[in-house]
């Protein structure tokens, strides 16, 4: 019988294995164990890996340093998926080597979007009016 997905997020085991896989991928890319001109010419960060509940699929979120040449880097990772999977299997002791999938990490874009929202005039005005109100309340409490 299939288990229902856990609405509270990944299990502790999924998180632990994801972190081990993330470290293994980062080490392989850092050491240059995969001979590919695109991967060799870029510094690639792996900020997060998410594992499927059965630990058979690992989705690695990657970002080349500076955000340059994302599509060629992801294409190079896809081309070398088999070799990367073998290296991960050597470094992480699991019953099955997870199938690797690579996606662009969008957390930096989301952070930029939130920063831009916080810098808008409307938000700045709201924050100034709230800080003025809190000063009034503090003054009332002292009287």
């Amino acid at each position: 019988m299939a288990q229902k997905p856990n609405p509270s997020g990944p299990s502790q085991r999924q998180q632990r294995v994801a972190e081990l896989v993330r470290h293994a991928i980062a080490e392989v890319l850092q050491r240059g164990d995969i001979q590919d001109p695109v991967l060799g010419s870029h510094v690639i960060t792996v900020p997060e890996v998410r594992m499927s509940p059965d630990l058979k699929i690992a989705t690695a979120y990657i970002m080349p340093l500076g955000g340059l040449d994302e599509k060629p880097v992801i294409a190079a990772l896809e081309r070398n998926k088999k070799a990367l999977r073998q290296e991960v299997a050597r470094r992480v002791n699991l019953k099955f080597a997870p199938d690797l999938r690579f996606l662009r990490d969008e957390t930096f874009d989301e952070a930029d979007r939130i920063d831009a929202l916080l810098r808008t005039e409307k938000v700045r005005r709201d924050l100034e009016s709230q800080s003025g109100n809190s000063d009034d309340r503090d003054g009332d409490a002292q009287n």
Side-chain angles (χ1 to χ4, degrees), residues 21-60:
V21 170
R22 185 183 76 81
H23 281 280
I25 293 171
E27 182 182 348
V28 168
L29 294 174
Q30 178 186 13
R31 292 183 53 178
D33 293 343
I34 306 298
Q35 301 301 317
D36 187 284
V38 175
L39 297 178
S41 64
H42 290 84
V43 176
I44 302 168
T45 59
V46 186
E48 182 180 11
V49 171
R50 292 185 188 163
M51 298 298 297
S52 64
D54 62 0
L55 304 179
K56 291 188 178 183
I57 299 173
T59 304

Side-chain angles (χ1 to χ4, degrees), residues 4-15 50-53:
K4 294 179 183 177
N6 189 350
S8 65
S11 69
Q12 184 176 2
R13 183 164 189 243
Q14 282 175 275
Q15 291 175 341
R50 292 185 188 163
M51 298 298 297
S52 64

Side-chain angles (χ1 to χ4, degrees), residues 55-114:
L55 304 179
K56 291 188 178 183
I57 299 173
T59 304
Y61 294 88
I62 61 104
M63 178 62 73
L65 191 63
L68 303 173
D69 302 329
E70 295 167 359
K71 289 183 181 181
V73 167
I74 290 176
L77 289 167
E78 289 292 334
R79 273 194 313 271
N80 294 290
K81 186 186 292 195
K82 183 178 178 183
L84 277 165
R85 184 178 182 191
Q86 289 173 342
E87 290 295 325
V88 167
R90 276 191 34 226
R91 289 171 166 78
V92 181
N93 186 20
L94 293 171
K95 186 173 184 178
F96 299 102
D99 183 34
L100 300 176
R101 297 183 181 167
F102 300 99
L103 295 176
R104 179 184 177 276
D105 182 33
E106 296 179 355
T107 55
F108 297 109
D109 295 339
E110 186 66 17
D112 290 342
R113 186 184 72 77
I114 291 171

